[in-house]
Amino acid sequence: MMSSSSLVKFMLFTSFVILLTLLYFYQEKITCSSPPLPSIQSLKVQSQQVPCSCLNGATALKNYVNKDKFDDIIRRRAEEYKKHQIRKKPPPSKVLLAQANSPLQYPIQGFTVIPLQKSLIPGLSVHAVEKQNYQVTLSVSGGVLAVESLQEKDQVEGQGEKVLSISTSSLQSLNDLLGRVSYRSTVYSIKSGDLVHFTFDQYKAVFPIEIRQPTVPVLYDLGEGISSQVTITTKTFLRYNQLNYLIRSIRNVYKDIKIIIADDSFNPQKVNGSNIEQYFMPPAQGWFAGRNLAISQVTTKYFLWVDDDFEFIDNTKIEKFVEIMEAVPELDVLGGSVGTNAFTFKVLYEEGDEEGGCLSKIPGNYQPVPGIPNCFYTSGVVNFFLGRTDAVRRVGFDPLLKRVGHSEFFMDGLGELLVASCPDLSIGHQAKRADTNGEYYKYRMPPRSDTDSKLALHFFKNRLKCVKY
């Protein structure tokens, strides 16, 4: 029999062990418990627009906007931006979160429908334990839902409406009905979307439907020679000596290739030669207006842009440009180097809040083009580049920029054009000539007012609050 002192010691020891055990499991509960999931409200706050940061040395663009009309300009810019978002950001672009360990199966991407046409929703099903009754609900906002080949015994409510409810006592029957659920948009739009809300018991899911009108392919026949693949384009202003020298250097290598010239000189002179198209513009319309005109007349798959004071050299191989562009069909613009100048730049952009976005242009490239030696992805290149005609036309050159534009084209094309640079592809730059028309230099260096107007244009057109070149 245990003595009273031994009994007390035993009880104290047992209590100590129990206390340690409780502390251990309490600590495990603290360490192993998952942090709480963010609420839907907090996710909405996180997804709202936040101010972007202007880099040191960036130009604040509001300083170049007419002060007397500033409030009205801000209002008009906000209205235009809302319309831009409607065109560019359909409803399914919002963040959607999949619930953890959900028994619901549904398409998370890739479900695209033609406007106003009925399409089966792929992959809908429920994976749950056996129970007496099953009920699911699906709802949409921009279309209607239905179960195809519906039988009288099927318990379906909301057939052909925005909210569809399915009830059954069999999981197999439920999944058979879900496999026949269709969606049809009711509002015609060539590029929009809808969201499907899918509910079963306490489980809820949301997945997107993309609504797209199919596009018709526009193909270019490359033919068999470089003349059927590429058109050389240039813009000239008061520099006919340089232009004629350029044409002679082209004809030394490419006898038959078409050359298109946009000319906004004050006293235009006809350029002679075969397969040359010269388009006369009102005087001094500017750099970008001339580019638009020249490229609008291109009928080949590609155009090669050159300045009127360049010259073709031994290393100017248009065929190499085409070879690379054909090997990488995603490319839209491929630049080379002018003499030793192979300058490339990256355009960095943050959307920002209601004040506008922040944009900066810095020298450099992103990464090598796979399989193409010494070629790199970038945002912008020098004035010597091969462009995919239809892609460049879609972006276009803003004719409001007369003598202070080049990188602005690549800014407008950010996210629309895939650009690369291959410095080994080069062209020469003519030496400066004493016989250049003296009037040309009056326009070569634009007044400060041109730059100020460009900055004000960035404020409204590109919705920027600051820019750094």
Side-chain angles (χ1 to χ4, degrees):
M1 187 172 179
M2 187 179 292
S3 66
S4 56
S5 62
S6 298
L7 181 60
V8 169
K9 290 179 180 178
F10 176 78
M11 292 177 64
L12 287 172
F13 176 78
T14 305
S15 301
F16 181 72
V17 171
I18 292 172
L19 179 61
L20 286 177
T21 305
L22 289 172
L23 286 172
Y24 173 80
F25 282 108
Y26 179 74
Q27 180 67 27
E28 283 296 292
K29 183 178 179 182
I30 293 175
T31 355
C32 299
S33 61
S34 301
L37 292 172
S39 66
I40 295 298
Q41 186 61 35
S42 69
L43 285 171
K44 287 180 180 178
V45 171
Q46 292 173 19
S47 64
Q48 288 176 353
Q49 291 181 328
V50 295
C52 58
S53 303
C54 297
L55 299 178
N56 289 336
T59 301
L61 299 180
K62 67 179 181 180
N63 298 332
Y64 297 88
V65 179
N66 188 315
K67 300 296 185 294
D68 297 333
K69 300 179 179 179
F70 187 79
D71 291 341
D72 189 48
I73 290 172
I74 287 291
R75 177 188 59 78
R76 297 202 311 270
R77 188 181 76 161
E79 291 174 356
E80 282 299 304
Y81 185 60
K82 287 180 182 177
K83 296 171 186 175
H84 166 82
Q85 287 183 307
I86 291 172
R87 289 177 60 83
K88 297 294 184 181
K89 295 184 178 180
S93 65
K94 66 176 63 175
V95 176
L96 302 177
L97 298 181
Q99 202 172 33
N101 301 317
S102 172
L104 305 180
Q105 177 179 299
Y106 49 90
I108 59 173
Q109 70 172 19
F111 179 39
T112 304
V113 301
I114 296 175
L116 306 182
Q117 290 191 21
K118 186 181 295 184
S119 300
L120 289 177
I121 301 177
L124 281 184
S125 65
V126 172
H127 300 267
V129 296
E130 291 291 334
K131 53 187 296 187
Q132 288 186 340
N133 294 294
Y134 301 88
Q135 182 173 359
V136 300
T137 302
L138 298 107
S139 63
V140 294
S141 59
V144 293
L145 300 163
V147 175
E148 299 304 307
S149 304
L150 189 64
Q151 306 294 319
E152 289 187 10
K153 62 180 179 63
D154 296 330
Q155 301 178 49
V156 175
E157 295 181 4
Q159 183 82 337
E161 299 177 5
K162 294 184 181 300
V163 180
L164 183 71
S165 180
I166 302 174
S167 302
T168 178
S169 59
S170 163
L171 182 60
Q172 180 179 352
S173 174
L174 173 65
N175 285 330
D176 174 64
L177 291 168
L178 286 173
R180 291 186 272 128
V181 172
S182 67
Y183 171 87
R184 178 177 63 83
S185 66
T186 53
V187 178
Y188 183 76
S189 172
I190 63 170
K191 185 174 62 175
S192 63
D194 204 346
L195 295 175
V196 182
H197 295 258
F198 185 18
T199 304
F200 166 69
D201 288 348
Q202 76 271 28
Y203 301 101
K204 297 180 180 180
V206 183
F207 62 90
I209 296 177
E210 188 177 16
I211 302 170
R212 289 287 185 272
Q213 181 66 270
T215 57
V216 177
V218 177
L219 307 179
Y220 289 84
D221 186 357
L222 275 179
E224 298 181 355
I226 196 68
S227 296
S228 64
Q229 301 167 356
V230 178
T231 301
I232 296 176
T233 55
T234 191
K235 152 80 172 58
T236 196
F237 175 68
L238 303 176
R239 296 203 297 189
Y240 290 107
N241 289 331
Q242 286 83 350
L243 176 63
N244 285 310
Y245 189 91
L246 167 68
I247 293 172
R248 287 195 297 272
S249 72
I250 294 172
R251 289 295 181 237
N252 287 336
V253 187
Y254 299 100
K255 305 295 184 184
D256 303 317
I257 197 167
K258 180 183 287 187
I259 302 171
I260 293 180
I261 304 164
D263 187 345
D264 63 345
S265 302
F266 289 109
N267 298 300
Q269 301 175 19
K270 183 71 174 70
V271 174
N272 297 315
S274 62
N275 213 13
I276 294 175
E277 295 179 3
Q278 184 179 13
Y279 293 92
F280 297 109
M281 308 165 60
Q285 288 300 294
W287 180 247
F288 273 10
R291 277 192 175 182
N292 277 336
L293 174 56
I295 294 168
S296 73
Q297 301 305 304
V298 172
T299 59
T300 51
K301 184 175 183 178
Y302 302 109
F303 68 90
L304 183 75
W305 184 265
V306 296
D307 284 356
D308 60 358
D309 62 345
F310 290 172
E311 62 175 322
F312 275 53
I313 57 177
D314 292 340
N315 202 34
T316 309
K317 304 295 183 185
I318 304 177
E319 293 86 353
K320 187 62 177 177
F321 274 103
V322 174
E323 179 184 331
I324 294 171
M325 292 282 273
E326 288 293 299
V328 188
E330 300 89 349
L331 275 177
D332 297 302
V333 173
L334 180 61
S337 60
V338 180
T340 58
N341 179 14
F343 177 68
T344 58
F345 57 88
K346 297 186 288 186
V347 177
L348 308 180
Y349 169 68
E350 293 180 76
E351 189 173 89
D353 58 2
E354 66 277 357
E355 285 189 86
C358 304
L359 185 143
S360 58
K361 188 187 83 169
I362 60 174
N365 307 305
Y366 294 111
Q367 57 185 212
V369 179
I372 311 295
N374 199 27
C375 294
F376 307 89
Y377 288 120
T378 188
S379 296
V381 296
V382 295
N383 287 348
F384 173 55
F385 60 85
L386 191 79
R388 193 176 298 273
T389 304
D390 56 350
V392 172
R393 279 178 182 157
R394 282 196 296 271
V395 174
F397 300 87
D398 192 337
L400 288 174
L401 299 171
K402 295 181 179 295
R403 287 174 290 278
V404 287
H406 173 66
S407 58
E408 288 72 18
F409 161 69
F410 295 102
M411 289 165 54
D412 289 348
L414 185 66
E416 297 286 344
L417 301 175
L418 183 61
V419 181
S421 173
C422 298
D424 291 344
L425 304 175
S426 62
I427 195 168
H429 197 285
Q430 298 176 34
K432 291 187 177 180
R433 301 172 182 276
D435 58 356
T436 298
N437 188 326
E439 193 172 11
Y440 169 81
Y441 290 106
K442 297 178 184 178
Y443 293 85
R444 179 67 181 86
M445 301 302 295
R448 176 67 194 183
S449 58
D450 281 21
T451 300
D452 292 349
S453 297
K454 179 179 74 170
L455 295 174
L457 181 66
H458 285 324
F459 180 84
F460 191 104
K461 184 184 106 174
N462 301 121
R463 194 179 172 271
L464 297 175
K465 73 174 180 181
C466 59
V467 64
K468 183 176 183 180
Y469 285 98

